[in-house]
Amino acid sequence: MYAIRQLASTIGVFTLAAGALTVGTAGAHATAPTAAVASASCSQSYLPLPDPVCQPGAFNPDVTQDTIGSTICVSGWTSTVRPPTSYTNPLKVQQIADYGYSDTSTADYEEDHLVPLELGGAPRDPMNLWPEPRYSTGGKTAGNKDTVENRLKTAVCNGQVPLDDARQAIATDWTTALAAVGLN
């Protein structure tokens, strides 16, 4: 895996443990990682999920249950924190290599937030961003995940589901997240 630990200390990301969620603190000031990887270091075997060691998910510390009324539940808020493609495109290229995808066309992947911005995911933390295939993997697509994200955000903003429960469910397995919080 590329120099995640070095990057993490540089941008102030605290990794709790392998497979645990992280909390990013640097927000818009992080820069794209530049270290190269000689061979695939992330496993495709988890698809349609990311490798939990490479991308366990990370939270934006500015989004809490107490702040959702002024952050994620405000129409258009995610556009204020979404990283530019000048950041995500080089990261996508690096992570496509990290996963060892034979298809290296960046158009075939969405550089997606495991914990979505709509639920207060860390915008620029590489541990929360991964090259999600746009094509079906295990019968699931990036579009399917978008539907789950939207339903969870609506439930959080309507007070049906606590923010932390929604975040944990989607970070654990977005394909079962709705059922995990009782939104089948």
Side-chain angles (χ1 to χ4, degrees), residues 23-128:
V23 178
T25 59
H29 303 294
T31 58
T34 57
V37 175
S39 63
S41 56
C42 300
S43 176
Q44 296 177 39
S45 67
Y46 297 94
L47 289 173
L49 308 173
D51 182 325
V53 172
C54 295
Q55 281 81 37
F59 299 157
N60 178 341
D62 296 332
V63 179
T64 66
Q65 188 70 46
D66 291 337
T67 66
I68 62 173
S70 61
T71 55
I72 65 169
C73 298
V74 174
S75 180
W77 180 82
T78 58
S79 66
T80 68
V81 296
R82 186 172 307 283
T85 57
S86 61
Y87 175 79
T88 58
N89 283 348
L91 181 60
K92 184 192 303 189
V93 169
Q94 178 62 53
Q95 290 178 335
I96 286 171
D98 291 348
Y99 274 88
Y101 290 131
S102 58
D103 172 5
T104 58
S105 172
T106 57
D108 292 338
Y109 302 91
E110 175 181 332
E111 189 66 6
D112 199 17
H113 293 89
L114 178 59
V115 179
L117 299 178
E118 293 87 343
L119 293 174
R124 291 180 172 241
D125 189 331
M127 298 187 85
N128 195 45

Side-chain angles (χ1 to χ4, degrees), residues 122-164:
R124 291 180 172 241
D125 189 331
M127 298 187 85
N128 195 45
L129 284 155
W130 70 293
E132 181 180 16
R134 292 187 189 276
Y135 49 84
S136 179
T137 54
K140 304 290 183 182
T141 66
N144 296 130
K145 183 172 180 286
D146 292 343
T147 299
V148 171
E149 293 170 3
N150 293 333
R151 286 199 55 205
L152 286 172
K153 177 195 169 193
T154 298
V156 167
C157 292
N158 288 341
Q160 295 173 280
V161 175
L163 176 63
D164 287 343

